[in-house]
Amino acid sequence: MIRKMLDKDRKRLKRKFHIRKRISGTAERPRMSVFRSNRSLYIQVIDDTVGKTIASASTLEKDLKDIKRNVEGAEKLGEIMGKRLLEKNITTVVFDRNGYLYHGVVKAMADGARKAGIQF
């Protein structure tokens, strides 16, 4: 069981590094990175040229604690992130799926951000 989990994490990290070789965020078009744990969902928008997080949203925030870690919750979190980006005059981003398959919760976060008006 532990061996299987180690292999799963190793494969995800391998995919993550393969993706990150090709994409990076700039001031005009920052990188939107998603992370999902067993309990929470996280989205960060990062400018890689200076190494700063421009905006973030997660289900650990006080006003977002009621969002569940499912497809509907992920879409709500994506919409919230999209609204925060539009407040900072950011309309286009590069989507970083962080080694996860573009499916389920990760896809829902992307669709929620698109629904809010973010392009990628």
Side-chain angles (χ1 to χ4, degrees):
M1 178 84 167
I2 293 174
R3 173 79 177 171
K4 183 178 179 182
M5 289 304 294
L6 291 176
D7 286 343
K8 190 175 180 181
D9 288 340
R10 185 175 45 79
K11 286 178 183 177
R12 186 186 76 81
L13 288 176
K14 188 175 178 183
R15 283 191 305 266
K16 176 182 175 175
F17 293 134
H18 187 77
I19 293 167
R20 285 286 288 128
K21 280 191 293 188
R22 290 176 174 79
I23 65 171
S24 75
T26 61
E28 299 83 33
R29 194 165 178 197
R31 176 172 57 98
M32 178 186 279
S33 178
V34 299
F35 181 75
R36 59 185 177 93
S37 69
N38 287 335
R39 291 186 180 194
S40 301
L41 299 172
Y42 307 85
I43 302 177
Q44 284 187 335
V45 176
I46 305 157
D47 179 3
D48 289 318
T49 56
V50 292
K52 283 199 160 190
T53 300
I54 298 169
S56 67
S58 95
T59 55
L60 294 178
E61 295 176 18
K62 282 187 178 182
D63 53 337
L64 303 179
K65 279 213 183 261
D66 59 334
I67 294 177
K68 301 218 187 285
R69 190 192 173 277
N70 55 19
V71 173
E72 292 83 19
E75 192 166 354
K76 285 181 193 174
L77 190 66
E79 287 180 28
I80 291 166
M81 190 68 216
K83 290 175 186 171
R84 289 182 183 179
L85 287 176
L86 289 175
E87 289 172 2
K88 296 187 179 214
N89 295 325
I90 297 173
T91 56
T92 58
V93 296
V94 177
F95 188 72
D96 179 10
R97 59 187 172 95
N98 216 359
Y100 300 110
L101 298 178
Y102 187 76
H103 171 282
V105 171
V106 175
K107 183 179 180 199
M109 282 193 257
D111 290 341
R114 280 192 189 106
K115 192 184 286 186
I118 303 299
Q119 296 176 346
F120 48 92

